[in-house]
Amino acid sequence: MRPTVLCFSGLDPSGGAGLQADIEAIGQSGAHAAIACTAITVQDSQQVYGFEATSSDLLLQQANAVYNDLPVKAFKSGMLGTTDNIAMLAEFLQDKPNIPYVLDPVLVANSGGSLGDSATLVNAFTTLIPKASLITPNTVELRALTGQNQIAEAVKVMFDLGSNALLVKGAHEHEPHRIRHWLYVNGECVAESRWQRLEAEFHGSGCSLASYIAGRLAQGTQLKDAVQQGELWLHGALKRADMPHAEGQRIPRRF
């Protein structure tokens, strides 16, 4: 069968982000998505209202059931919600160092809604950073993870914490007509991409990109190529995005 990406992510009832975004993006990449559900959230396409996290024991049972059954060739994590879940994932990954792992360090939703205690999660994420083949923070998350305002300094801190590769997403920077992303490997910038800024906000774009990249890595694609393919695919999905309301966040059309 197709190689499997095992995702650790939460349920977004609107289908814009979270595990549905993972399933759709990974399917489009050519891989198969399996999910260990980390939380049930209460949200629509515009706002997060609350969530209830899965216990770490139940999360581990889900992960083991999939890992022992399907050809898992990559891991991806999004919303983890609690420090217990982060600790469980770090332990789960401990004896699987040769399987690519994409870490999307979700702290808050694009709408600003809480997906866990950000300050507490930041400290816990340090246990996952060295285990990730690629970390995909936007610049807001990058600053939160490092305490550094300047991107160059924040990147340096991430590699001091043990990062292997870092895709810094620049949509939150104040460049009116373009968005820039930077790919760093072993502390060096190996690629910079520039994209036309679309006149909208999007719900689930980060989940989608990280998952598509994980799907390509599961199939043996080299990291730099997987990132480039993911960015190109995502830009198309955003240009075609569904618009639930006249104003507000849009949902990427991943098919």
Side-chain angles (χ1 to χ4, degrees):
M1 67 175 290
R2 290 170 295 164
T4 296
V5 180
L6 173 53
C7 299
F8 296 81
S9 47
L11 172 66
D12 168 9
S14 78
L19 63 85
Q20 184 166 325
D22 295 340
I23 292 168
E24 293 181 355
I26 290 166
Q28 288 295 291
S29 79
H32 172 70
I35 305 294
C37 183
T38 60
I40 306 295
T41 72
V42 181
Q43 63 181 301
D44 54 28
S45 65
Q46 308 300 312
Q47 188 173 348
V48 176
Y49 302 98
F51 74 94
E52 184 170 328
T54 304
S55 72
S56 58
D57 181 62
L58 181 57
L59 186 61
L60 178 60
Q61 291 181 53
Q62 294 179 73
N64 281 331
V66 170
Y67 185 76
N68 293 329
D69 178 51
L70 298 178
V72 174
K73 300 299 182 183
F75 301 110
K76 182 262 179 179
S77 68
M79 177 195 180
L80 292 166
T82 67
T83 56
D84 284 346
N85 284 349
I86 292 174
M88 185 288 300
L89 179 55
E91 184 175 350
F92 176 79
L93 295 172
Q94 187 66 35
D95 62 350
K96 306 171 182 67
N98 296 322
I99 299 178
Y101 164 43
V102 178
L103 167 58
D104 184 18
V106 176
L107 298 173
V108 297
N110 279 350
S111 60
S114 172
L115 294 172
D117 182 340
S118 294
T120 303
L121 294 180
V122 162
N123 290 330
F125 269 126
T126 58
T127 63
L128 288 177
I129 286 171
K131 301 181 187 304
S133 308
L134 176 67
I135 308 171
T136 62
N138 59 43
T139 51
V140 174
E141 293 162 340
L142 180 67
R143 290 180 175 111
L145 287 167
T146 63
Q148 299 292 324
N149 190 53
Q150 298 298 318
I151 292 176
E153 291 301 315
V155 167
K156 183 178 184 302
V157 169
M158 289 294 289
F159 282 98
D160 288 344
L161 291 170
S163 298
N164 294 294
L166 197 63
L167 176 62
V168 179
K169 302 172 295 186
H172 292 277
E173 300 305 291
H174 300 295
E175 295 190 63
H177 304 299
R178 68 177 181 180
I179 291 172
R180 290 191 290 170
H181 298 162
W182 300 269
L183 176 63
Y184 295 85
V185 177
N186 297 324
E188 299 294 329
C189 185
V190 299
E192 177 183 330
S193 61
R194 304 183 183 199
W195 300 92
Q196 174 192 359
R197 182 177 290 277
L198 303 175
E199 298 300 323
E201 296 291 328
F202 299 94
H203 183 56
S205 56
C207 308
S208 302
L209 178 58
S211 292
Y212 190 97
I213 293 169
R216 296 306 304 168
L217 293 176
Q219 296 169 83
T221 304
Q222 294 298 308
L223 177 63
K224 186 175 179 180
D225 293 334
V227 169
Q228 291 173 339
Q229 292 165 10
E231 290 182 347
L232 181 62
W233 170 81
L234 179 67
H235 190 69
L238 299 184
K239 288 174 70 175
R240 300 186 299 269
D242 292 310
M243 192 184 334
H245 305 281
E247 297 182 359
Q249 294 189 111
R250 301 181 184 185
I251 295 176
R253 189 172 297 192
R254 291 175 282 258
F255 289 97

